[in-house]
Amino acid sequence: METLAATLRDEPEPIASRRPNLPPRVARLIERCLAKVPERRYGSTRELLDELRALLAAGAEAAAPRRRRGRLPAPRTTLIGREEELTRITSLIVNEGVRLVTLTGPGGVGKTRLALAAAEKLLPHFREEVFFIPLGTVRDPAHVCSAIAEALGARVGAGESPLTAVIAELNTTGAPALLVLDNFEQVISAAGDVSELLAACPVVSFIVTSREVLHLYGEYDVPVPPLPVPDLESDLPPEKLARTAAVALFIARARAVDPSFRLTADTANAVVEICRRLDGLPLALELAAARVRTLPPEALVTRLGQRLQLLTAGARDLPDRQHTMRRAIDWSHGLLTPAEQTLFRRLSVFAGAFTLEGAEAVCDPNQKLGIETVDGVASLVDKSLLQKQEAEGGGARFGMLETIREYASSLLIESEDEPLTRRAHAAYFLVLAEEGARELASVESPEWLALFACEHDNFRAALDQLLKTGNAEWGLRMALGLFHFWERAEHLSEGRGWLAGFLELPVANQDDGLRARAFFAIGVFASAQGDYNEAILRTEMSLALHRRRGDQRGMAVAHNALGIYFTEVGDFDHAARDLEASLVAWREAGDESGYTRSLSNLAFVRRKQRQYDEARRLYDEAAVIFSRNGDRLSSAWLLSHQGGVAADQKLWNDATRFYEMALDAFRLLSDTWGIASTVADLGTIAREHGDRARAAERYREALGAFLRLGHRRGVARVLESMAVLAGQAGAPERALTLSSAAAALRQKLGVPRPITDQGELSTWLETARQAVEPRAAEEALRRGALMSLPEAVRYAESAV
């Protein structure tokens, strides 16, 4: 029974493995007789007899088998930046026994060049039995085996299929062989033939280049990414930038058309911008570099808004699909189904990356796409038109290379889908903004902040579309939904700009409630940037609108904000009047929580007025209410404020006790902002006590917390505190450098140091200036002003 089962189930061992000297046609004849599938066997004994007679007549065929050695196309250029991928491919085949390696990636990413380099490196392993089979001109999947047979020099006998001939040829000698199948994507249905070759020829391996995977058992997908691109803010000198893969490729190809081309300090930024805007895509970089003969890099940058028009005129002897970037993408687009093509162009509405949920909501809101969105996205990933990106928290995001997005966007513009797709995109992100705003209004949510940061480019695209179409209501709602994110991520000027833009639309006058909230938000952003006149003006406009609407809560919020702004400019009497008005409005609105926050702010005013007993009384009253309402976060901040009152009076032990109680509370709540702020305050207490080592330790902890939070204003505050510490420690140049780095950071953010906090730092800076020579002082200030944020942080940590 086992023998009978094996007869039906198992492929016989190739006869060539036992009889190496058997003529190839004899071996093929026997294997055809033993084929499991009836259609592959001889149709009759007459057909077999004819084949045997033909063998006898061709006596030369009885000679020992010889296969012509494969030839690889000679590379015309040096392979740049693919060392890691090259090592991975050869290791998979040589060390891990993988027999099917598929190199996937978008058109123009350099799959063929990498495959050839890998094949050349593998020549000794396969004893020169390496064959390159270009499939770019093959359109019919049925002809793939014919192309392989031609490359191997296999003869296809009468009535014999090319697949059978290839199997017989590969098994004739039993020697290991490597077949490189190039451009497999347009004959993807021939993957079954590759599977049969792998099963029938155990000593044969494949490297396949394709814009989509073959989905075969045992296949190992090696994605070929674009070349690494340097960060625009990396501050690397030209000689180091030139060693970055994308820049190195651009330079090499530019020199091919203009031997005098060099990367200099003047051209470095433009070249990096070109590489970044072209996603590090090798074909795009080569096509752009070919323009250097007539356009310098700076001029190329200005023309990259229309990438596909610029990236033309490839070498004449390149395949036709590589003459321009548009043809390269046309090739991939033509392989999509109609439903996939529709999804592809609609997905171009996303800026940056997107989630599956977003794709479903925007691209198929009515479930009429004709394909499940998840299946369509998966197919576009397989075909290298989308890239999968791992997101924080284990989720998946997907995105297009910008060159591909521009192509897809041009298709969307030409279609009737565009207006509805862009509206669906704006609607989805409006809902997301308002949902996140509700969470961020009450708690510090790292998850929502991270999500908004990921989607920020999509929010910008949606806001831009709403502004262009004059949709003030949606625009103001979305901008207000982003208010907390913009404030905490310090996108202050951007937030002011969007809100002001929508308020200028004529239709914005139709909703006083939205306008009042928008004016208030502009005031918050302006105050954070030290523009208190604008902050007060806009908040008073907000107050007037709330008063006209009879909105007591809105009036309370506006009065409270005005109290804070007047406090910041030192107008404590005006601040107290607004805060007292806020308390009245909160009582009218029946909002005890809001009342207590304004009470705490009034206590701060009394503290600034040095009415310390009154400040403590108000803080104690607020603490009772917060405790009764279970507001643990506000209670923690009250402890911090009471520590501030004690510190103002130089009651250091009391200040330390309150700050440490606040720190414990913030740690229990995992409130990073509270932790960072309080640790910095404890550092200042240690500094005032003369314990510089403890102060340095506290400042380092606060610096790390602010960095993790992404709060650069907090980083600037700690750098300034460290500058004072350096001055006290007798290191005036360090003090000047740190203060200059902090000032540069504040200038970049558009956030000056608060007026009420300038005295101590100014005193120490003046002392530091007088302690060193003028030239040394200027050099220290210049050094700090030129530091990037990471450099400033490293310097600060070393300085203490």
Side-chain angles (χ1 to χ4, degrees):
M1 291 302 295
E2 181 60 29
T3 302
L4 287 171
T7 303
L8 296 170
R9 178 188 65 217
D10 300 340
E11 290 292 336
E13 183 181 358
I15 193 168
S17 63
R18 293 180 177 268
R19 291 283 304 279
N21 294 325
L22 196 69
R25 289 184 64 181
V26 176
R28 288 201 295 271
L29 181 145
I30 295 169
E31 287 166 4
R32 189 175 175 188
C33 289
L34 295 173
K36 302 291 184 190
V37 180
E39 289 76 13
R40 291 187 179 172
R41 296 197 292 267
Y42 290 100
S44 65
T45 51
R46 171 63 62 186
E47 187 179 347
L48 173 59
L49 181 60
D50 291 342
E51 183 72 15
L52 287 167
R53 285 173 174 160
L55 279 174
L56 289 173
E61 286 290 327
R66 291 191 303 270
R67 183 196 301 159
R68 70 181 186 185
R69 288 190 171 184
R71 283 187 177 181
L72 295 177
R76 303 187 191 184
T77 57
T78 304
L79 184 67
I80 294 174
R82 294 300 189 192
E83 294 77 11
E84 184 178 336
E85 290 89 349
L86 192 57
T87 300
R88 184 69 181 127
I89 295 165
T90 54
S91 176
L92 284 170
I93 292 174
V94 175
N95 300 327
E96 301 180 33
V98 175
R99 295 178 54 214
L100 174 58
V101 175
T102 304
L103 310 186
T104 58
V109 82
K111 300 182 294 295
T112 300
R113 183 67 184 84
L114 178 58
L116 285 171
E120 188 167 354
K121 195 172 181 180
L122 289 166
L123 280 171
H125 178 74
F126 287 98
R127 299 179 183 179
E128 306 292 323
E129 295 288 307
V130 178
F131 298 85
F132 181 76
I133 300 100
L135 300 174
T137 59
V138 177
R139 295 291 182 270
D140 189 343
H143 295 161
V144 169
C145 282
S146 297
I148 298 174
E150 182 179 351
L152 295 174
R155 295 186 181 180
V156 182
E160 185 180 31
S161 72
L163 176 62
T164 304
V166 169
I167 292 172
E169 179 67 25
L170 291 171
N171 285 330
T172 295
T173 64
L178 174 67
L179 305 187
V180 180
L181 305 181
D182 187 42
N183 290 115
F184 203 84
E185 59 273 356
Q186 83 280 3
V187 289
I188 199 71
S189 59
D193 291 339
V194 175
S195 178
E196 290 203 41
L197 288 171
L198 286 166
C201 308
V203 293
V204 174
S205 301
F206 289 86
I207 293 177
V208 178
T209 72
S210 176
R211 300 187 190 185
E212 63 177 300
V213 291
L214 277 59
H215 291 296
L216 295 180
Y217 182 75
E219 177 183 21
Y220 200 103
D221 178 24
V222 177
V224 182
L227 295 174
V229 176
D231 192 327
L232 274 176
E233 298 183 358
S234 61
D235 294 328
L236 292 174
E239 58 271 17
K240 289 189 177 180
L241 283 174
R243 292 196 288 271
T244 306
V247 175
L249 178 64
F250 182 87
I251 293 171
R253 301 302 180 261
R255 285 179 179 170
V257 298
D258 181 4
S260 67
F261 181 83
R262 294 290 183 275
L263 189 71
T264 66
D266 294 331
T267 60
N269 285 341
V271 171
V272 170
E273 178 66 12
I274 290 168
C275 295
R276 190 185 66 82
R277 297 271 293 276
L278 297 180
D279 305 300
L281 204 61
L283 177 59
L285 291 172
E286 293 191 6
L287 293 171
R291 297 284 188 176
V292 166
R293 182 186 287 113
T294 54
L295 291 172
E298 296 81 359
L300 276 174
V301 170
T302 63
R303 294 169 178 257
L304 282 179
Q306 299 292 324
R307 297 171 184 80
L308 298 177
Q309 294 180 19
L310 179 70
L311 303 178
T312 59
R316 288 190 178 91
D317 55 349
L318 283 174
D320 190 54
R321 65 182 180 280
Q322 293 182 5
H323 282 174
T324 71
M325 274 307 302
R326 179 173 290 279
R327 289 187 188 177
I329 306 171
D330 274 339
W331 174 273
S332 294
H333 182 260
L335 301 175
L336 303 179
T337 66
E340 289 172 341
Q341 289 179 347
T342 300
L343 177 62
F344 173 64
R345 66 175 178 263
R346 290 179 182 176
L347 287 172
S348 70
V349 77
F350 288 97
F354 57 87
T355 62
L356 276 175
E357 177 192 85
E360 290 170 340
V362 173
C363 299
D364 193 19
N366 301 316
Q367 285 79 50
K368 294 181 179 180
L369 186 62
I371 184 175
E372 289 292 330
T373 304
V374 63
D375 295 333
V377 167
S379 178
L380 293 175
V381 170
D382 283 347
K383 294 175 172 65
S384 303
L385 290 169
L386 289 178
Q387 276 71 49
K388 183 180 178 182
Q389 305 169 4
E390 295 301 325
E392 291 185 15
R397 294 176 65 81
F398 304 87
M400 292 181 183
L401 296 175
E402 287 305 314
T403 309
I404 294 176
R405 186 193 316 283
E406 182 181 321
Y407 174 92
S409 182
S410 69
L411 298 180
L412 180 65
I413 292 170
E414 294 169 359
S415 75
E416 58 186 21
D417 299 348
E418 186 189 18
L420 290 177
T421 302
R422 295 200 185 280
R423 184 173 177 83
H425 178 267
Y428 174 77
F429 283 100
L430 172 60
V431 171
L432 187 66
E434 293 187 327
E435 183 180 354
R438 287 190 290 273
E439 294 291 326
L440 290 171
S442 57
V443 295
E444 184 77 26
S445 173
E447 295 80 13
W448 274 103
L449 290 173
L451 176 60
F452 275 22
C454 284
E455 299 291 9
H456 201 187
D457 285 339
N458 278 309
F459 284 125
R460 287 167 172 149
L463 287 166
D464 184 61
Q465 177 66 16
L466 293 172
L467 194 60
K468 287 178 179 176
T469 56
N471 192 333
E473 181 197 349
W474 280 23
L476 286 172
R477 285 171 57 192
M478 186 180 294
L480 290 168
L482 293 170
F483 167 73
H484 295 290
F485 165 70
W486 278 336
E487 182 189 18
R488 294 174 201 184
E490 300 170 311
H491 299 292
L492 307 173
S493 296
E494 180 173 1
R496 288 175 70 175
W498 284 117
L499 287 162
F502 285 109
L503 284 169
E504 289 172 2
L505 294 174
V507 291
N509 295 324
Q510 296 176 2
D511 191 327
D512 280 353
L514 276 178
R515 292 175 66 223
R517 291 170 59 202
F519 284 132
F520 174 83
I522 291 175
V524 173
F525 294 143
S527 71
Q529 294 182 301
D531 188 356
Y532 292 110
N533 289 334
E534 175 73 3
I536 291 169
L537 172 64
R538 295 294 185 172
T539 309
E540 287 177 340
M541 294 170 70
S542 174
L543 176 61
L545 288 169
H546 284 308
R547 187 176 286 127
R548 187 166 75 186
R549 298 175 69 243
D551 184 347
Q552 290 293 333
R553 190 180 185 285
M555 291 165 59
V557 170
H559 275 303
N560 180 68
L562 286 168
I564 293 172
Y565 303 154
F566 282 119
T567 302
E568 291 294 337
V569 298
D571 187 349
F572 301 126
D573 291 337
H574 206 151
R577 285 197 297 273
D578 267 302
L579 287 167
E580 288 164 352
S582 177
L583 292 173
V584 172
W586 284 124
R587 287 196 199 96
E588 292 289 331
D591 190 326
E592 189 175 54
S593 177
Y595 175 89
T596 315
R597 285 195 297 273
S598 292
L599 193 66
S600 176
N601 290 332
L602 181 58
F604 185 77
V605 173
R606 299 311 181 202
R607 170 186 163 189
K608 287 298 182 180
Q609 292 176 313
R610 299 185 180 182
Q611 299 177 20
Y612 298 121
D613 290 340
E614 176 65 6
R616 285 195 188 90
R617 186 190 69 77
L618 293 172
Y619 279 136
D620 288 341
E621 181 184 344
V624 171
I625 301 172
F626 282 140
S627 178
R628 182 171 68 236
N629 293 338
D631 190 341
R632 296 163 62 199
L633 181 59
S634 295
S635 296
W637 279 111
L638 276 183
L639 290 169
S640 178
H641 295 326
Q642 288 173 315
V645 173
D648 287 351
Q649 294 180 282
K650 301 191 183 305
L651 302 173
W652 304 123
N653 291 333
D654 287 347
T656 301
R657 178 170 56 84
F658 277 119
Y659 281 137
E660 288 181 343
M661 290 168 62
L663 181 59
D664 289 341
F666 285 130
R667 290 196 195 281
L668 283 173
L669 295 168
S670 299
D671 188 274
T672 307
W673 163 249
I675 292 169
S677 181
T678 307
V679 168
D681 289 330
L682 284 166
T684 299
I685 297 294
R687 190 187 75 206
E688 293 300 324
H689 266 206
D691 188 350
R692 292 173 189 152
R694 182 62 170 162
E697 180 185 343
R698 290 291 197 183
Y699 286 147
R700 276 195 295 267
E701 183 182 351
L703 194 62
F706 278 126
L707 283 170
R708 288 192 298 275
L709 195 62
H711 198 284
R712 292 171 291 175
R713 280 176 289 170
V715 171
R717 171 192 166 190
V718 177
L719 291 177
E720 289 158 348
S721 297
M722 288 179 155
V724 174
L725 180 62
Q728 291 179 344
E733 291 186 33
R734 287 181 180 276
L736 292 169
T737 299
L738 285 167
S739 66
S740 180
L745 179 56
R746 285 189 179 278
Q747 184 176 20
K748 186 175 183 179
L749 295 173
V751 180
R753 184 171 171 80
I755 297 170
T756 53
D757 293 346
Q758 291 179 4
E760 184 180 39
L761 179 63
S762 299
T763 300
W764 277 105
L765 288 182
E766 185 58 32
T767 302
R769 276 181 173 274
Q770 293 175 2
V772 296
E773 294 291 331
R775 182 175 295 179
E778 292 303 321
E779 175 58 27
L781 291 169
R782 188 192 67 83
R783 185 165 56 248
L786 294 176
M787 284 180 176
S788 64
L789 179 58
E791 288 171 338
V793 170
R794 286 194 297 271
Y795 182 81
E797 292 177 337
S798 68
V800 297

